[in-house]
């Protein structure tokens, strides 16, 4: 190393800076007050819907009007009277309780109660299970 030449340090100074403040930090109350004290120009804008729970557009009024004009009565299908009577008759002929029939078709007893009272929404799979378990045709022409 002695014969290579003069040793010099070739270092440059390193400057470490904090990163620029984010948009949220610029809106912070402390930062705004510090800027006011320093005499900087501050712009404040009031947003029209700020702090309210209203939508920006008035498209909801169009949907509301369409719903008000709607007159069609919508409801689920119910078990027909003929079907519920046929289920009850076939069950009585086999001398089964509602709970026993429900166990035979792997359903809850409430399902059988709903079908026999006419409150259930007809399900073709369940009606098919009932037909097989009771040995009677419940749907279609007899």
């Amino acid at each position: 190393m002695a014969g290579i030449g003069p040793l010099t340090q070739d270092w440059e100074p390193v400057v470490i800076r904090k990163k620029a403040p984010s948009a949220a930090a610029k809106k912070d109350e402390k930062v705004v007050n510090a800027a006011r004290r320093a005499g900087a120009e501050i712009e404040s804008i009031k947003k029209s819907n700020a702090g309210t729970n209203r939508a920006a557009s008035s498209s909801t009024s169009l949907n509301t009007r369409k719903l008000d004009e709607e007159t069609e009565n919508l409801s689920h299908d119910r078990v027909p009277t003929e079907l519920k009577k046929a289920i009850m008759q076939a069950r009585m002929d086999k001398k089964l309780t509602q709970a026993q029939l429900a166990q035979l078709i792997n359903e809850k007893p409430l399902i059988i109660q709903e079908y026999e009272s006419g409150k259930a929404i007809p399900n073709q799979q369940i009606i098919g299970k009932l037909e097989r378990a009771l040995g009677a045709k419940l749907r279609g022409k007899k």
Side-chain angles (χ1 to χ4, degrees):
M1 281 208 187
I4 297 177
L7 293 178
T8 60
Q9 289 187 350
D10 194 21
W11 293 4
E12 296 177 15
V14 177
V15 179
I16 299 175
R17 292 190 184 116
K18 290 183 181 178
K19 66 178 185 178
S22 64
K26 289 179 186 175
K27 296 176 187 175
D28 189 24
E29 191 175 344
K30 291 178 186 177
V31 175
V32 173
N33 287 337
R36 283 188 183 134
R37 283 193 295 272
E41 208 172 293
I42 298 171
E43 179 182 352
S44 61
I45 300 170
K46 171 106 170 90
K47 294 187 179 178
S48 60
N49 284 343
T52 65
N53 200 15
R54 281 187 241 136
S57 64
S58 62
S59 64
T60 54
S61 63
L62 298 174
N63 292 337
T64 307
R65 186 168 41 88
K66 285 181 186 176
L67 287 172
D68 288 342
E69 292 171 357
E70 186 66 44
T71 57
E72 187 177 355
N73 188 10
L74 304 173
S75 62
H76 290 291
D77 292 334
R78 297 286 180 216
V79 176
T81 308
E82 306 86 40
L83 178 61
K84 64 182 186 179
K85 285 182 181 176
I87 292 171
M88 276 193 258
Q89 189 61 47
R91 181 176 59 82
M92 296 293 188
D93 291 345
K94 286 254 185 173
K95 295 181 179 144
L96 294 171
T97 64
Q98 289 180 344
Q100 290 169 334
L101 177 59
Q103 191 173 14
L104 277 175
I105 65 169
N106 291 327
E107 294 290 342
K108 295 180 182 174
L110 181 66
I111 302 281
I112 304 301
Q113 289 173 5
E114 288 177 347
Y115 269 83
E116 288 188 0
S117 66
K119 295 178 183 175
I121 299 169
N123 182 338
Q124 295 303 315
Q125 284 184 319
I126 293 176
I127 295 172
K129 287 181 184 180
L130 287 168
E131 286 178 337
R132 282 192 298 279
L134 296 171
K137 190 164 184 177
L138 302 174
R139 55 190 163 175
K141 295 181 180 166
K142 293 183 179 179

